[in-house]
Structure formats: C-alpha cells, structure tokens
C-alpha cells in the first residue's frame, strides 16, 4: 500500500510564485511506494488563487485541495493545514509559497527517512535571486543556506523545508501556538516542542528547496528589520521559556548590550565601507544594532508583528 505524503502550503497574495511552486512539485520525482496530495491554505481568500489551484490540478493531474482561511495570521493558516490533511496521511510536509523544490527533493527526503531514525526531516533553503538584485546583497550572504552534516540532529526546524510523521499531531497533541500568530516563530516553537516530547529532527543535506528573493528584500531597511524581528522573537521566546526570571532578563540584557557595543565600536567605519563599495559590510554593522534593539524591546514586552 502506498504511503500518502501531504504537502501543505500557506499562501497570501503570491499567486505567481505559488504557481511556480506548484509546477516544481509537478516536476518532482516521487519515490516508489508514495503518492502525493497538496493542501493549499489561502489567507487572502482570493478567487484568483482558488481558480489557479483548480486549473493546475486539472492540467497536472495532481490532487490539490484548496481552502480559504478567513482568520488572519500564520498560526491560524498552519493549524488549518494540519486539520485539512487527509487522515490517510503518513508524512506531512511544509514548504513556503515563495519557494520551488528541487526535482530530487522528495526522493532525498525518502532516502533520509529510510537511512536515519527520526520523526522530522528538514533541509537547506538556497536563495534564488531576482535579476535586479544588487551584487552587494549576494556577496553579503544574508540569505545563505544553513549547512550541517547529513543526518545531524537538530533542536528545531522551520516550515520552509520540512517533512514529519503525521501521527505526531495526535500523539503529541501538536498545533501551532496562536501567541505567535502575527509575530512568526510559531514553527520554531512547534518543532522544538516535538523535540522536548522525545521526537528526533534530522538534517537532510541534499533535500533542497530554493527561495525567491524579491528586490525589496535587498534593501538596507528590510535587512535591518529582519534582524530586529529575529532577535526580538527569539528573545521573547527565551524569556517566556524561563518565565521572565531575573536571570533570564539579565542574560538578554547582557547579550543585547554586547550587540549594541559591537555596533558602537564599528559604526564609524560605515561611511568608509559605503564609499569603498563594501555596502554589505556596512549593513552587517547596522545589523548588530538591530539585534541589540530587538533584545531590549523583548524585555519591554514589545513583539514585532510580521504578519499583521
């Protein structure tokens, strides 16, 4: 009997990129013994997206289930995906709507599942730059993929390239935390919780997806905000885990002060780096400040809302 893999996609106002992702899934090698279904949760509730999904299913022959989620926010969307996946699902995967999968993505996941003992398998996300992306953005490594030894254990995962046992949802009573509905970070908490409950996450080096990097992401403002958001979110989660104890607050203060001091020590070099054409280094100096501010704002209970 074939095992069912359900690929879940959360989407919002990215119909063209979503179509590219679907085409890549249609071109993907499906290992013997598996069958595939796609679940798409649309948080825009767009007829255009619904029709595009219907047309793709008709022309490709793939099973595509489209659902509109009216409650706004990433946690609502991902939880809807968990609910809408067929009960026959053996493995459930998440990829993002601004990505395309490598033709061998699923086959590499299958090899890892066969080779390693694990409950969750995750792999690298490589950048796919827009033609208009400036060279300094590419040189800066701001979107560089993570690199690990194949089969390495991980403490958590994101939902941009992951597959896990569907049975974990019921076994561990898993759902995405609504507290992170507008801030993001819900995926990190989800998979970290699986590890805490005894699950194992493995790295799959050759299970590759490619993320479309739009031109707006290659701006100083976006790169600064990204580091602020990541720092703010991670420190908020750290403080929550430690019930905002005096020790945890002190730790965040030290780390945030350290990043701010690094910025102050290097900020005088920013104009020279800019003039010398090393804009990527100047931006990295600014990102020290972003990380410091993100931590300090977490202490003040401020949460940056990425998905508002």
């Amino acid at each position: 009997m074939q095992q069912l893999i359900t690929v879940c996609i959360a989407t919002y106002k990215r119909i063209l990129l979503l179509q590219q992702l679907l085409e890549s899934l249609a071109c993907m090698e499906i290992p013997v013994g598996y069958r595939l279904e796609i679940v798409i949760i649309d948080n825009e509730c767009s007829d255009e997206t619904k029709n595009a999904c219907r047309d793709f299913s008709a022309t490709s022959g793939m099973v595509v289930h489209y659902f509109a989620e009216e409650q706004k926010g990433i946690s609502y969307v991902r939880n809807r995906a968990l609910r809408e996946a067929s009960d026959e699902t053996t493995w459930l995967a998440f990829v993002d709507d601004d990505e395309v999968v490598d033709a061998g993505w699923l086959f590499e996941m299958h090899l890892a599942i066969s080779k390693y003992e694990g409950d969750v398998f995750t792999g690298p996300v490589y950048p796919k730059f827009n033609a208009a992306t400036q060279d300094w953005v590419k040189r800066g490594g701001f979107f560089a993929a993570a690199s690990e030894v194949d089969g390495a254990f991980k403490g958590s995962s994101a939902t941009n390239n992951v597959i896990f046992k569907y049975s974990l949802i019921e076994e561990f009573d898993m759902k995405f935390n609504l507290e992170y509905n507008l801030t993001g970070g819900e995926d990190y908490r989800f998979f970290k919780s699986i590890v805490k409950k005894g699950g194992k996450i493995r790295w799959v080096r050759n299970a590759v997806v490619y993320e479309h990097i739009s031109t707006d992401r290659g701006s100083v403002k976006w790169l600064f905000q990204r580091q602020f958001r990541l720092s703010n979110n991670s420190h908020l989660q750290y403080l929550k885990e430690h019930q905002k104890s005096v020790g945890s607050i002190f730790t965040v203060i030290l780390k945030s002060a350290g990043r701010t001091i690094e910025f102050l020590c290097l900020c005088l070099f920013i104009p020279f780096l800019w003039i010398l054409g090393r804009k990527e280094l100047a931006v990295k100096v600014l990102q020290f400040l972003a990380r410091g501010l993100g931590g300090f704002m977490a202490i003040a209970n401020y949460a940056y809302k990425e998905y508002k």
Side-chain angles (χ1 to χ4, degrees):
M1 184 177 177
Q2 289 183 316
Q3 296 186 55
L4 173 60
I5 296 175
T6 299
V7 178
C8 298
I9 305 165
T11 190
Y12 183 73
K13 295 185 178 181
R14 285 176 172 169
I15 185 169
L16 295 179
L17 293 175
L18 175 63
Q19 288 173 319
Q20 292 176 28
L21 170 58
L22 292 173
E23 291 296 338
S24 73
L25 289 168
C27 296
M28 179 179 64
E29 179 183 3
I30 299 178
V32 175
Y34 293 90
R35 60 189 178 93
L36 192 72
E37 291 188 2
I38 300 171
V39 168
I40 295 173
I41 311 297
D42 180 13
N43 210 202
E44 184 188 12
C45 306
S46 160
D47 286 340
E48 186 179 10
T49 302
K50 180 180 181 179
N51 293 336
C53 293
R54 180 199 61 201
D55 293 345
F56 170 79
S57 181
T59 57
S60 68
M62 300 187 76
V63 179
V64 179
H65 303 288
Y66 171 91
F67 302 94
E69 176 54 57
E70 294 183 356
Q71 295 187 90
K72 297 300 181 183
I74 193 64
S75 295
Y76 282 121
V77 173
R78 297 207 194 284
N79 283 331
R80 181 72 181 274
L82 298 183
R83 294 196 303 271
E84 298 296 353
S86 167
D87 291 339
E88 298 178 6
T89 302
T90 304
W91 292 93
L92 191 144
F94 275 101
V95 289
D96 285 347
D97 64 348
D98 59 350
E99 296 175 336
V100 294
V101 302
D102 185 79
W105 174 70
L106 189 56
F107 189 78
E108 291 295 337
M109 286 295 194
H110 159 68
L111 291 179
I113 290 168
S114 303
K115 184 177 181 180
Y116 302 115
E117 179 187 356
D119 305 287
V120 181
F121 296 84
T122 184
V125 179
Y126 288 99
K128 184 180 180 183
F129 290 107
N130 187 294
T133 301
Q134 299 181 63
D135 288 339
W136 68 267
V137 178
K138 300 176 184 178
R139 289 197 309 267
F142 301 108
F143 304 97
S147 180
E148 301 279 355
V149 175
D150 195 55
F153 289 103
K154 301 285 289 181
S156 188
S157 175
T159 45
N160 53 7
N161 180 6
V162 69
I163 186 169
F164 61 96
K165 292 178 179 176
Y166 178 72
S167 60
L168 295 177
I169 299 171
E170 182 175 351
E171 181 182 351
F172 293 157
D173 189 25
M174 296 303 303
K175 57 182 176 294
F176 291 94
N177 194 325
L178 294 179
E179 185 175 346
Y180 304 103
N181 186 49
L182 298 178
T183 63
E186 79 299 333
D187 49 356
Y188 176 83
R189 294 293 303 174
F190 182 91
F191 290 108
K192 188 171 184 178
S193 178
I194 287 177
V195 172
K196 284 186 174 181
K197 294 176 180 180
K200 295 181 176 66
I201 301 178
R202 295 279 199 164
W203 180 257
V204 189
R205 183 178 58 192
N206 294 323
V208 175
V209 304
Y210 300 91
E211 179 186 18
H212 172 75
I213 308 299
S214 58
T215 306
D216 66 298
R217 293 189 183 186
S219 68
V220 176
K221 178 182 177 181
W222 193 92
L223 292 168
F224 184 91
Q225 287 180 333
R226 184 190 193 213
Q227 285 303 310
F228 176 87
R229 175 180 66 84
L230 292 173
S231 174
N232 181 243
N233 194 287
S234 64
H235 284 110
L236 280 169
Q237 294 197 30
Y238 174 80
L239 290 168
K240 181 179 175 61
E241 287 175 7
H242 294 83
Q243 300 179 332
K244 210 170 185 183
S245 64
V246 173
S248 65
I249 294 174
F250 186 66
T251 298
V252 174
I253 289 174
L254 284 179
K255 290 176 67 176
S256 302
R259 296 292 178 265
T260 306
I261 291 170
E262 286 179 293
F263 165 74
L264 292 173
C265 291
L266 296 170
C267 65
L268 292 177
F269 294 98
I270 291 177
F272 300 101
L273 292 170
W274 212 280
I275 292 170
L276 293 171
R278 300 306 305 270
K279 191 173 179 178
E280 71 278 10
L281 297 180
V283 171
K284 287 185 176 184
V285 173
L286 288 170
Q287 287 182 327
F288 283 125
L289 176 62
R291 289 193 285 271
L293 291 174
F296 285 128
M297 293 304 287
I299 295 171
N301 289 323
Y302 173 82
Y304 182 85
K305 293 179 172 59
E306 176 80 0
Y307 299 99
K308 61 182 177 180

